[in-house]
Amino acid sequence: PLPFAETCFITVMGILVNLIIVPLVGDGWVIFSYERIKENLSVNNADREGPCFDPEYQDLCIRMTQWNRSFPASTILFIGIMIVFASFSSSVAFRRNYTTKRVVRVLTMQQKKDREDLLLSIFPKTVAMHMLEKQT
């Protein structure tokens, strides 16, 4: 897996491109404006029928259209944040696993040294070395 910092960088760049740069180049944020949606509704429905042209429901219709148009961008943002959280938890687990392996390796080496020292203190050096060779 990618390190946490690289994942954050890639995710932030992806979000930056999708949510800021692309809409600004294509005048994309204007499509969310209240006036633009109201204008589009009147142009696209010349017969002026339906709930969106009832003054009581027009504001609700425009707000729902704003939500429908902003949903993909919100989804991209949410997915990016979830990727960062997943990367962080994976990074923490990887570091914990690495640390545990290091501690086990150091403890194993220490136990081996203690065992050698014990055998050398009990038996003559040649006998202790012969016994250690048989163990490995």
Side-chain angles (χ1 to χ4, degrees), residues 75-96:
T75 304
I76 290 170
L77 180 63
F78 178 74
I79 289 171
I81 291 170
M82 290 300 107
I83 288 171
V84 169
F85 282 135
S87 172
F88 178 73
S89 66
S90 172
S91 178
V92 167
F94 180 75
R95 276 185 269 152
R96 187 176 300 133

Side-chain angles (χ1 to χ4, degrees), residues 22-92:
V22 171
L24 287 178
V25 169
D27 204 24
W29 293 116
V30 176
I31 65 168
F32 297 112
S33 71
Y34 189 90
E35 294 78 21
R36 180 76 173 263
I37 292 171
K38 191 172 183 179
E39 177 185 313
N40 284 343
L41 286 173
S42 64
V43 168
N44 292 337
N45 296 317
D47 55 359
R48 297 208 176 267
E49 290 184 18
C52 287
F53 295 103
D54 184 352
E56 186 177 338
Y57 297 109
Q58 190 173 28
D59 187 55
L60 176 66
C61 188
I62 291 171
R63 298 291 178 211
M64 289 298 295
T65 305
Q66 284 176 325
W67 167 251
N68 287 339
R69 289 183 180 176
S70 66
F71 184 74
S74 302
T75 304
I76 290 170
L77 180 63
F78 178 74
I79 289 171
I81 291 170
M82 290 300 107
I83 288 171
V84 169
F85 282 135
S87 172
F88 178 73
S89 66
S90 172
S91 178
V92 167

